[in-house]
Protein backbone atom coordinates (compact mmCIF):
# COMPACT_ATOMS: atom_id res chain seq x y z
CA UNK A 1 0.00 0.00 0.00
CA UNK A 2 1.48 3.33 -1.07
CA UNK A 3 1.36 5.98 1.63
CA UNK A 4 3.65 8.81 0.50
CA UNK A 5 3.61 11.03 -2.54
CA UNK A 6 7.08 9.96 -3.68
CA UNK A 7 5.90 6.34 -3.98
CA UNK A 8 3.49 7.18 -6.78
CA UNK A 9 4.77 5.83 -10.10
CA UNK A 10 4.09 9.16 -11.73
CA UNK A 11 6.70 10.65 -9.38
CA UNK A 12 9.19 7.90 -10.08
CA UNK A 13 8.13 5.09 -7.72
CA UNK A 14 7.78 1.54 -9.05
CA UNK A 15 4.32 0.75 -10.50
CA UNK A 16 1.95 -0.74 -7.91
CA UNK A 17 1.02 -3.56 -10.26
CA UNK A 18 3.48 -5.69 -12.21
CA UNK A 19 0.78 -7.07 -14.51
CA UNK A 20 -1.56 -4.49 -16.04
CA UNK A 21 -5.09 -4.40 -14.59
CA UNK A 22 -7.64 -4.22 -17.40
CA UNK A 23 -11.23 -3.07 -17.58
CA UNK A 24 -13.32 -5.86 -19.05
CA UNK A 25 -11.19 -8.95 -18.58
CA UNK A 26 -13.36 -11.90 -19.70
CA UNK A 27 -15.05 -14.06 -17.06
CA UNK A 28 -14.28 -17.69 -17.84
CA UNK A 29 -16.66 -20.35 -16.56
CA UNK A 30 -15.91 -24.01 -15.85
CA UNK A 31 -13.25 -25.12 -18.37
CA UNK A 32 -14.03 -28.83 -18.06
CA UNK A 33 -17.72 -28.27 -18.73
CA UNK A 34 -16.89 -26.09 -21.73
CA UNK A 35 -14.49 -28.63 -23.21
CA UNK A 36 -17.03 -31.43 -22.68
CA UNK A 37 -19.52 -29.43 -24.68
CA UNK A 38 -16.96 -28.78 -27.41
CA UNK A 39 -16.37 -32.55 -27.54
CA UNK A 40 -20.12 -33.16 -27.92
CA UNK A 41 -20.25 -30.59 -30.70
CA UNK A 42 -17.38 -32.25 -32.58
CA UNK A 43 -18.95 -35.69 -32.17
CA UNK A 44 -22.20 -34.35 -33.60
CA UNK A 45 -20.44 -32.52 -36.46
CA UNK A 46 -23.05 -29.82 -36.13
CA UNK A 47 -21.08 -26.61 -35.79
CA UNK A 48 -23.54 -23.90 -36.75
CA UNK A 49 -26.96 -23.22 -38.37
CA UNK A 50 -29.42 -23.34 -35.50
CA UNK A 51 -27.74 -26.26 -33.75
CA UNK A 52 -28.80 -27.92 -30.49
CA UNK A 53 -26.56 -25.74 -28.30
CA UNK A 54 -27.93 -22.54 -29.82
CA UNK A 55 -31.51 -23.77 -29.33
CA UNK A 56 -30.80 -24.75 -25.73
CA UNK A 57 -29.05 -21.44 -25.13
CA UNK A 58 -31.97 -19.42 -26.52
CA UNK A 59 -34.42 -21.38 -24.37
CA UNK A 60 -32.37 -20.78 -21.22
CA UNK A 61 -31.89 -17.08 -21.82
CA UNK A 62 -35.59 -16.54 -22.57
CA UNK A 63 -36.60 -18.48 -19.44
CA UNK A 64 -34.11 -16.64 -17.26
CA UNK A 65 -35.26 -13.20 -18.43
CA UNK A 66 -38.93 -14.13 -18.53
CA UNK A 67 -39.33 -13.14 -22.17
CA UNK A 68 -41.09 -15.15 -24.87
CA UNK A 69 -38.44 -15.08 -27.61
CA UNK A 70 -34.67 -15.02 -27.71
CA UNK A 71 -33.02 -14.87 -31.14
CA UNK A 72 -29.28 -15.44 -30.64
CA UNK A 73 -26.89 -13.69 -33.02
CA UNK A 74 -23.19 -13.49 -33.83
CA UNK A 75 -22.86 -10.22 -31.87
CA UNK A 76 -24.86 -7.46 -30.21
CA UNK A 77 -24.49 -4.98 -33.06
CA UNK A 78 -26.06 -7.44 -35.47
CA UNK A 79 -28.86 -8.00 -32.95
CA UNK A 80 -29.48 -4.23 -32.97
CA UNK A 81 -29.59 -4.30 -36.76
CA UNK A 82 -32.11 -7.16 -36.78
CA UNK A 83 -34.31 -5.26 -34.34
CA UNK A 84 -34.00 -2.08 -36.43
CA UNK A 85 -34.92 -3.85 -39.67
CA UNK A 86 -37.41 -6.21 -38.10
CA UNK A 87 -39.37 -3.29 -36.62
CA UNK A 88 -39.16 -1.32 -39.86
CA UNK A 89 -37.39 1.68 -38.35
CA UNK A 90 -36.54 4.53 -40.69
CA UNK A 91 -36.01 8.28 -40.83
CA UNK A 92 -34.81 9.32 -37.38
CA UNK A 93 -34.31 7.41 -34.17
CA UNK A 94 -33.70 9.14 -30.85
CA UNK A 95 -30.65 7.82 -28.98
CA UNK A 96 -28.32 8.96 -26.24
CA UNK A 97 -24.81 10.03 -27.23
CA UNK A 98 -23.47 8.72 -23.92
CA UNK A 99 -23.19 5.10 -25.09
CA UNK A 100 -20.91 2.75 -26.96
CA UNK A 101 -20.60 3.85 -30.59
CA UNK A 102 -22.34 0.70 -31.92
CA UNK A 103 -25.73 1.96 -30.70
CA UNK A 104 -25.59 4.80 -33.24
CA UNK A 105 -23.63 2.93 -35.91
CA UNK A 106 -26.31 0.24 -36.17
CA UNK A 107 -28.80 2.98 -37.13
CA UNK A 108 -26.57 4.94 -39.48
CA UNK A 109 -25.51 1.69 -41.20
CA UNK A 110 -29.15 1.33 -42.26
CA UNK A 111 -29.46 4.92 -43.42
CA UNK A 112 -31.29 6.03 -40.29
CA UNK A 113 -30.26 9.25 -38.62
CA UNK A 114 -29.42 8.86 -34.95
CA UNK A 115 -30.81 11.96 -33.26
CA UNK A 116 -28.82 12.44 -30.08
CA UNK A 117 -30.79 13.43 -27.02
CA UNK A 118 -29.22 14.30 -23.70
CA UNK A 119 -28.86 12.02 -20.72
CA UNK A 120 -29.75 12.86 -17.16
CA UNK A 121 -26.30 13.32 -15.61
CA UNK A 122 -27.55 11.76 -12.36
CA UNK A 123 -28.70 8.50 -13.93
CA UNK A 124 -26.44 8.46 -17.03
CA UNK A 125 -29.44 7.29 -19.08
CA UNK A 126 -31.68 9.03 -21.62
CA UNK A 127 -33.58 11.96 -20.12
CA UNK A 128 -37.23 11.30 -21.11
CA UNK A 129 -37.99 15.01 -21.36
CA UNK A 130 -35.08 15.56 -23.74
CA UNK A 131 -36.08 12.48 -25.74
CA UNK A 132 -39.60 13.82 -26.18
CA UNK A 133 -38.31 17.22 -27.28
CA UNK A 134 -36.31 15.52 -30.03
CA UNK A 135 -39.40 13.96 -31.66
CA UNK A 136 -40.10 15.18 -35.22
CA UNK A 137 -42.42 13.92 -37.97
CA UNK A 138 -39.48 11.77 -39.19
CA UNK A 139 -38.99 9.99 -35.87
CA UNK A 140 -39.75 6.27 -35.98
CA UNK A 141 -38.39 5.11 -32.63
CA UNK A 142 -36.60 5.76 -29.38
CA UNK A 143 -33.59 3.60 -28.61
CA UNK A 144 -32.70 3.79 -24.91
CA UNK A 145 -29.53 2.34 -23.38
CA UNK A 146 -29.39 0.79 -19.90
CA UNK A 147 -25.93 2.23 -19.26
CA UNK A 148 -23.84 0.30 -16.68
CA UNK A 149 -26.85 -1.97 -16.16
CA UNK A 150 -28.79 0.85 -14.54
CA UNK A 151 -32.22 0.79 -16.14
CA UNK A 152 -33.54 3.63 -18.29
CA UNK A 153 -36.66 5.48 -17.17
CA UNK A 154 -38.64 2.66 -18.77
CA UNK A 155 -42.15 3.83 -17.80
CA UNK A 156 -41.63 7.41 -18.93
CA UNK A 157 -40.09 6.35 -22.25
CA UNK A 158 -42.89 3.83 -22.80
CA UNK A 159 -45.49 6.56 -22.29
CA UNK A 160 -43.70 8.92 -24.69
CA UNK A 161 -43.36 6.21 -27.34
CA UNK A 162 -47.05 5.44 -27.01
CA UNK A 163 -48.15 9.07 -27.16
CA UNK A 164 -46.16 9.69 -30.36
CA UNK A 165 -46.78 6.23 -31.91
CA UNK A 166 -43.09 5.37 -31.89
CA UNK A 167 -41.33 2.07 -31.56
CA UNK A 168 -39.28 1.61 -28.42
CA UNK A 169 -36.10 -0.47 -28.29
CA UNK A 170 -33.62 -0.88 -25.47
CA UNK A 171 -29.93 -1.52 -25.90
CA UNK A 172 -29.48 -3.86 -22.98
CA UNK A 173 -25.86 -4.75 -23.79
CA UNK A 174 -24.76 -3.84 -20.24
CA UNK A 175 -27.82 -5.07 -18.45
CA UNK A 176 -28.03 -8.85 -18.54
CA UNK A 177 -29.52 -9.98 -15.21
CA UNK A 178 -30.33 -6.40 -14.13
CA UNK A 179 -33.84 -5.32 -13.17
CA UNK A 180 -36.23 -2.41 -13.52
CA UNK A 181 -38.58 -2.08 -10.53
CA UNK A 182 -37.81 -5.68 -9.66
CA UNK A 183 -38.50 -7.15 -13.14
CA UNK A 184 -35.49 -8.34 -15.11
CA UNK A 185 -34.72 -6.24 -18.16
CA UNK A 186 -35.30 -7.94 -21.50
CA UNK A 187 -39.06 -7.74 -21.91
CA UNK A 188 -39.60 -3.99 -22.14
CA UNK A 189 -40.42 -1.94 -25.22
CA UNK A 190 -40.86 -3.65 -28.58
CA UNK A 191 -37.54 -5.43 -28.18
CA UNK A 192 -34.34 -5.34 -26.19
CA UNK A 193 -30.98 -6.35 -27.49
CA UNK A 194 -28.19 -8.06 -25.59
CA UNK A 195 -24.46 -8.28 -26.22
CA UNK A 196 -22.50 -11.34 -25.15
CA UNK A 197 -19.13 -9.91 -26.13
CA UNK A 198 -16.12 -11.19 -24.18
CA UNK A 199 -15.89 -7.98 -22.12
CA UNK A 200 -19.51 -8.07 -21.02
CA UNK A 201 -20.75 -9.47 -17.73
CA UNK A 202 -22.00 -12.61 -19.40
CA UNK A 203 -20.39 -13.65 -22.67
CA UNK A 204 -20.28 -16.20 -25.47
CA UNK A 205 -16.86 -14.92 -26.75
CA UNK A 206 -18.79 -12.95 -29.38
CA UNK A 207 -22.55 -13.00 -29.45
CA UNK A 208 -25.79 -11.19 -28.87
CA UNK A 209 -29.54 -11.61 -28.99
CA UNK A 210 -32.80 -9.92 -29.76
CA UNK A 211 -35.23 -10.59 -26.91
CA UNK A 212 -38.89 -9.75 -27.37
CA UNK A 213 -42.46 -10.76 -26.62
CA UNK A 214 -43.41 -9.87 -30.20
CA UNK A 215 -43.89 -13.12 -32.11
CA UNK A 216 -43.80 -11.45 -35.54
CA UNK A 217 -40.60 -9.62 -34.80
CA UNK A 218 -38.96 -12.79 -33.50
CA UNK A 219 -39.94 -14.61 -36.68
CA UNK A 220 -38.62 -11.84 -38.92
CA UNK A 221 -35.37 -11.67 -36.95
CA UNK A 222 -34.90 -15.44 -37.32
CA UNK A 223 -35.45 -15.25 -41.06
CA UNK A 224 -33.13 -12.28 -41.55
CA UNK A 225 -30.47 -13.84 -39.35
CA UNK A 226 -30.19 -16.72 -41.85
CA UNK A 227 -30.19 -14.91 -45.25
CA UNK A 228 -34.00 -14.95 -45.32
CA UNK A 229 -34.14 -18.74 -45.77
CA UNK A 230 -37.43 -20.36 -44.81
CA UNK A 231 -36.48 -23.80 -46.21
CA UNK A 232 -33.77 -25.34 -48.36
CA UNK A 233 -34.52 -23.26 -51.46
CA UNK A 234 -37.01 -20.70 -50.26
CA UNK A 235 -35.82 -17.20 -49.52
CA UNK A 236 -38.58 -14.94 -48.20
CA UNK A 237 -36.79 -11.71 -47.44
CA UNK A 238 -33.58 -9.75 -47.55
CA UNK A 239 -31.30 -11.25 -44.95
CA UNK A 240 -27.81 -11.44 -43.63
CA UNK A 241 -25.59 -13.96 -41.88
CA UNK A 242 -26.18 -13.13 -38.24
CA UNK A 243 -26.14 -16.63 -36.75
CA UNK A 244 -24.59 -17.65 -33.47
CA UNK A 245 -22.44 -20.77 -33.85
CA UNK A 246 -22.34 -23.85 -31.61
CA UNK A 247 -18.94 -23.04 -30.12
CA UNK A 248 -20.19 -19.69 -28.87
CA UNK A 249 -23.40 -21.24 -27.57
CA UNK A 250 -21.30 -23.86 -25.71
CA UNK A 251 -19.40 -21.03 -24.01
CA UNK A 252 -22.69 -19.30 -23.26
CA UNK A 253 -24.31 -22.40 -21.73
CA UNK A 254 -21.22 -22.90 -19.57
CA UNK A 255 -21.06 -19.29 -18.41
CA UNK A 256 -24.81 -19.29 -17.64
CA UNK A 257 -24.06 -21.90 -14.97
CA UNK A 258 -21.69 -19.42 -13.33
CA UNK A 259 -23.78 -16.24 -13.25
CA UNK A 260 -24.22 -16.19 -9.48
CA UNK A 261 -20.47 -16.58 -8.92
CA UNK A 262 -19.66 -13.76 -11.33
CA UNK A 263 -22.21 -11.48 -9.69
CA UNK A 264 -20.89 -12.20 -6.21
CA UNK A 265 -17.30 -11.49 -7.30
CA UNK A 266 -18.42 -8.24 -8.92
CA UNK A 267 -20.45 -7.27 -5.87
CA UNK A 268 -17.50 -8.00 -3.60
CA UNK A 269 -15.31 -5.74 -5.75
CA UNK A 270 -17.94 -2.99 -5.85
CA UNK A 271 -18.24 -3.11 -2.04
CA UNK A 272 -14.46 -2.81 -1.67
CA UNK A 273 -14.33 0.11 -4.05
CA UNK A 274 -17.17 1.83 -2.19
CA UNK A 275 -15.39 1.47 1.10
CA UNK A 276 -12.01 2.41 -0.33
CA UNK A 277 -13.28 5.60 -1.98
CA UNK A 278 -15.86 6.68 0.61
CA UNK A 279 -13.69 9.44 2.06
CA UNK A 280 -11.93 10.70 -1.05
CA UNK A 281 -13.21 14.22 -1.78
CA UNK A 282 -14.39 14.85 -5.34
CA UNK A 283 -14.22 11.20 -6.40
CA UNK A 284 -17.55 9.41 -6.30
CA UNK A 285 -18.40 5.90 -7.29
CA UNK A 286 -21.47 5.43 -9.47
CA UNK A 287 -23.79 3.45 -7.24
CA UNK A 288 -26.38 0.78 -7.92
CA UNK A 289 -29.85 0.83 -6.43
CA UNK A 290 -29.84 -1.95 -3.81
CA UNK A 291 -33.54 -2.59 -4.47
CA UNK A 292 -32.76 -3.68 -8.04
CA UNK A 293 -30.97 -6.76 -9.29
CA UNK A 294 -27.67 -5.87 -10.86
CA UNK A 295 -24.62 -7.54 -12.39
CA UNK A 296 -22.21 -4.95 -10.90
CA UNK A 297 -20.03 -5.31 -13.98
CA UNK A 298 -19.02 -1.65 -14.17
CA UNK A 299 -17.02 0.28 -11.62
CA UNK A 300 -17.40 3.88 -12.71
CA UNK A 301 -16.06 6.99 -11.03
CA UNK A 302 -17.06 10.58 -11.44
CA UNK A 303 -14.21 12.96 -10.82
CA UNK A 304 -15.23 16.46 -9.73
CA UNK A 305 -12.23 18.63 -10.53
CA UNK A 306 -13.38 21.44 -8.24
CA UNK A 307 -13.41 19.21 -5.17
CA UNK A 308 -10.70 16.69 -6.02
CA UNK A 309 -8.23 19.31 -7.29
CA UNK A 310 -7.52 16.92 -10.16
CA UNK A 311 -9.12 16.44 -13.52
CA UNK A 312 -10.32 13.03 -14.61
CA UNK A 313 -7.48 12.92 -17.15
CA UNK A 314 -4.89 13.66 -14.45
CA UNK A 315 -6.17 10.73 -12.43
CA UNK A 316 -6.14 8.58 -15.55
CA UNK A 317 -2.43 9.29 -15.99
CA UNK A 318 -1.67 8.59 -12.36
CA UNK A 319 -3.37 5.20 -12.69
CA UNK A 320 -1.79 4.32 -16.04
CA UNK A 321 1.65 4.89 -14.53
CA UNK A 322 0.71 2.32 -11.87
CA UNK A 323 -0.28 -0.18 -14.59
CA UNK A 324 -4.00 0.35 -14.01
CA UNK A 325 -5.53 0.62 -17.47
CA UNK A 326 -8.62 2.63 -16.53
CA UNK A 327 -10.85 3.77 -19.43
CA UNK A 328 -12.77 6.96 -20.18
CA UNK A 329 -16.07 5.32 -21.22
CA UNK A 330 -17.89 7.06 -22.97
CA UNK A 331 -15.56 9.87 -23.94
CA UNK A 332 -15.98 12.09 -25.96
CA UNK A 333 -19.62 11.07 -26.66
CA UNK A 334 -20.77 9.52 -29.92
CA UNK A 335 -21.97 12.84 -31.37
CA UNK A 336 -18.35 14.03 -31.35
CA UNK A 337 -17.12 10.97 -33.25
CA UNK A 338 -17.15 10.40 -36.98
CA UNK A 339 -19.21 10.22 -39.06
CA UNK A 340 -21.67 12.05 -36.82
CA UNK A 341 -19.62 15.19 -36.19
CA UNK A 342 -19.30 15.73 -39.94
CA UNK A 343 -22.76 14.59 -41.02
CA UNK A 344 -24.86 16.50 -38.53
CA UNK A 345 -24.77 19.85 -36.74
CA UNK A 346 -23.41 19.45 -33.21
CA UNK A 347 -26.35 19.11 -30.81
CA UNK A 348 -26.26 20.87 -27.43
CA UNK A 349 -25.89 18.04 -24.92
CA UNK A 350 -24.74 19.62 -21.67
CA UNK A 351 -25.46 16.53 -19.53
CA UNK A 352 -23.49 14.29 -21.88
CA UNK A 353 -20.54 16.71 -22.08
CA UNK A 354 -20.50 17.09 -18.32
CA UNK A 355 -20.41 13.33 -17.81
CA UNK A 356 -17.97 12.57 -20.61
CA UNK A 357 -15.47 14.92 -18.96
CA UNK A 358 -15.61 13.21 -15.55
CA UNK A 359 -16.24 9.49 -15.86
CA UNK A 360 -13.58 6.85 -15.46
CA UNK A 361 -14.11 3.08 -15.60
CA UNK A 362 -11.94 0.98 -13.30
CA UNK A 363 -10.88 -2.68 -13.45
CA UNK A 364 -13.04 -5.32 -11.82
CA UNK A 365 -13.89 -9.01 -12.33
CA UNK A 366 -12.31 -12.22 -11.13
CA UNK A 367 -8.75 -11.24 -12.02
CA UNK A 368 -8.60 -8.44 -9.45
CA UNK A 369 -8.39 -9.15 -5.72
CA UNK A 370 -9.70 -7.14 -2.75
CA UNK A 371 -6.05 -6.33 -1.91
CA UNK A 372 -5.56 -4.94 -5.43
CA UNK A 373 -8.65 -2.81 -4.97
CA UNK A 374 -7.49 -1.49 -1.62
CA UNK A 375 -4.12 -0.61 -3.13
CA UNK A 376 -5.80 1.06 -6.10
CA UNK A 377 -8.14 3.11 -3.88
CA UNK A 378 -5.11 4.07 -1.77
CA UNK A 379 -3.40 5.44 -4.87
CA UNK A 380 -6.45 7.52 -5.78
CA UNK A 381 -6.69 8.86 -2.23
CA UNK A 382 -2.97 9.68 -2.20
CA UNK A 383 -3.20 11.49 -5.54
CA UNK A 384 -6.15 13.58 -4.32
CA UNK A 385 -4.44 14.40 -1.01
CA UNK A 386 -1.46 15.75 -2.96
CA UNK A 387 -3.52 17.08 -5.85
CA UNK A 388 -1.46 20.21 -6.53
CA UNK A 389 1.88 18.37 -6.78
CA UNK A 390 0.35 15.54 -8.82
CA UNK A 391 -1.22 17.98 -11.19
CA UNK A 392 2.02 19.87 -11.72
CA UNK A 393 3.83 16.59 -12.40
CA UNK A 394 1.19 15.41 -14.87
CA UNK A 395 1.36 18.71 -16.70
CA UNK A 396 5.16 18.57 -16.90
CA UNK A 397 4.96 15.05 -18.31
CA UNK A 398 2.37 16.08 -20.87
CA UNK A 399 4.51 18.96 -22.08
CA UNK A 400 7.61 16.75 -22.17
CA UNK A 401 5.74 14.13 -24.21
CA UNK A 402 4.37 16.76 -26.55
CA UNK A 403 0.78 16.27 -25.41
CA UNK A 404 -0.35 19.68 -24.21
CA UNK A 405 -3.38 19.36 -21.95
CA UNK A 406 -6.62 19.52 -23.95
C1 LIG B 1 -20.94 -3.85 -26.39
C2 LIG B 1 -22.02 -2.95 -26.74
C3 LIG B 1 -22.70 -3.04 -27.97
C4 LIG B 1 -22.22 -3.90 -29.10
O1 LIG B 1 -22.19 -5.24 -28.82
P1 LIG B 1 -21.21 -6.20 -29.64
O2 LIG B 1 -21.60 -7.56 -29.16
O3 LIG B 1 -19.81 -5.84 -29.26
O4 LIG B 1 -21.48 -6.01 -31.08
C5 LIG B 1 -23.78 -2.20 -28.19
N1 LIG B 1 -24.18 -1.32 -27.26
C6 LIG B 1 -23.56 -1.18 -26.09
C7 LIG B 1 -24.06 -0.19 -25.10
C8 LIG B 1 -22.44 -1.98 -25.79
O5 LIG B 1 -21.79 -1.80 -24.64
Amino acid sequence: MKTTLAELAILGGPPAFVEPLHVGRPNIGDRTRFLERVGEMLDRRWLTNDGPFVKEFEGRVAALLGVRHCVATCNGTLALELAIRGLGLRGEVIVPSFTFVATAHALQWHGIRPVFADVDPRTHTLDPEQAERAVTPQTSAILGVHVWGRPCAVDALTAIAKAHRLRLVFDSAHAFACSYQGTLLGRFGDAEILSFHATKFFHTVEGGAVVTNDEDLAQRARLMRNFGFAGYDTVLTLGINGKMNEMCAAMGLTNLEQLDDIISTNLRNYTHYRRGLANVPGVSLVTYDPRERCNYQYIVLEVDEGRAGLERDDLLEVLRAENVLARRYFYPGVHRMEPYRTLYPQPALPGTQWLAARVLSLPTGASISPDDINALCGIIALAVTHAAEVRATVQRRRTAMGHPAD
Side-chain angles (χ1 to χ4, degrees), residues 74-78 80 99-100 102-103 145 171 173-174 193-197 199-200 206-208 298 330:
C74 53
N75 59 58
T77 306
L78 205 291
L80 264 171
T99 180
F100 183 59
T103 315
V145 183
D171 178 338
H174 290 186
I193 75 94
L194 303 166
S195 165
F196 308 133
H197 183 259
T199 57
K200 301 299 200 283
E206 288 265 12
Y298 298 96
F330 296 105

Side-chain angles (χ1 to χ4, degrees), residues 242-260:
K243 300 182 299 279
M244 177 179 278
N245 65 56
E246 288 289 281
M247 188 83 136
C248 290
M251 179 61 94
L253 286 168
T254 309
N255 287 341
L256 272 182
E257 291 159 2
Q258 224 93 87
L259 289 189
D260 292 341

Side-chain angles (χ1 to χ4, degrees), residues 137-306:
Q138 279 69 51
T139 309
S140 61
I142 298 172
L143 171 49
V145 183
H146 305 304
V147 178
W148 320 132
R150 303 202 303 178
C152 289
V154 171
D155 284 345
L157 292 173
T158 304
I160 293 165
K162 193 162 175 230
H164 296 271
R165 298 171 172 276
L166 304 173
R167 294 293 202 168
L168 179 61
V169 179
F170 291 107
D171 178 338
S172 206
H174 290 186
F176 193 81
C178 300
S179 68
Y180 173 70
Q181 294 180 358
T183 301
L184 283 185
L185 294 164
R187 64 174 91 167
F188 296 104
D190 291 291
E192 299 205 40
I193 75 94
L194 303 166
S195 165
F196 308 133
H197 183 259
T199 57
K200 301 299 200 283
F201 156 67
F202 161 72
H203 77 91
T204 62
V205 185
E206 288 265 12
V210 179
V211 283
T212 181
N213 284 325
D214 178 341
E215 167 93 43
D216 288 343
L217 172 64
Q219 223 164 42
R220 276 194 297 277
R222 281 184 192 287
L223 268 179
M224 290 189 297
R225 174 180 71 169
N226 187 31
F227 312 101
F229 274 110
Y232 280 119
D233 304 311
T234 319
V235 171
L236 295 183
T237 181
L238 176 63
I240 192 152
N241 183 355
K243 300 182 299 279
M244 177 179 278
N245 65 56
E246 288 289 281
M247 188 83 136
C248 290
M251 179 61 94
L253 286 168
T254 309
N255 287 341
L256 272 182
E257 291 159 2
Q258 224 93 87
L259 289 189
D260 292 341
D261 298 338
I262 305 172
I263 291 178
S264 57
T265 303
N266 283 349
L267 177 56
R268 177 201 70 192
N269 290 352
Y270 167 72
T271 310
H272 272 86
Y273 272 115
R274 268 198 94 159
R275 232 179 272 144
L277 297 171
N279 299 316
V280 183
V283 174
S284 48
L285 187 65
V286 169
T287 56
Y288 296 101
D289 184 343
R291 291 165 303 181
E292 298 287 5
R293 289 175 66 180
C294 184
N295 59 35
Y296 300 98
Q297 176 73 357
Y298 298 96
I299 299 293
V300 183
L301 297 184
E302 284 180 26
V303 183
D304 175 352
E305 186 198 344

Side-chain angles (χ1 to χ4, degrees), residues 56 70 85 108 117 227 302 387 405:
E56 184 184 349
C70 168
R85 284 222 171 231
Q108 188 67 42
F227 312 101
E302 284 180 26

Side-chain angles (χ1 to χ4, degrees), residues 385-401:
T385 305
H386 300 284
E389 295 95 320
V390 167
R391 189 140 203 207
T393 309
V394 169
Q395 271 158 5
R396 260 197 315 278
R397 272 166 60 113
R398 277 197 192 120
T399 314
M401 291 163 111

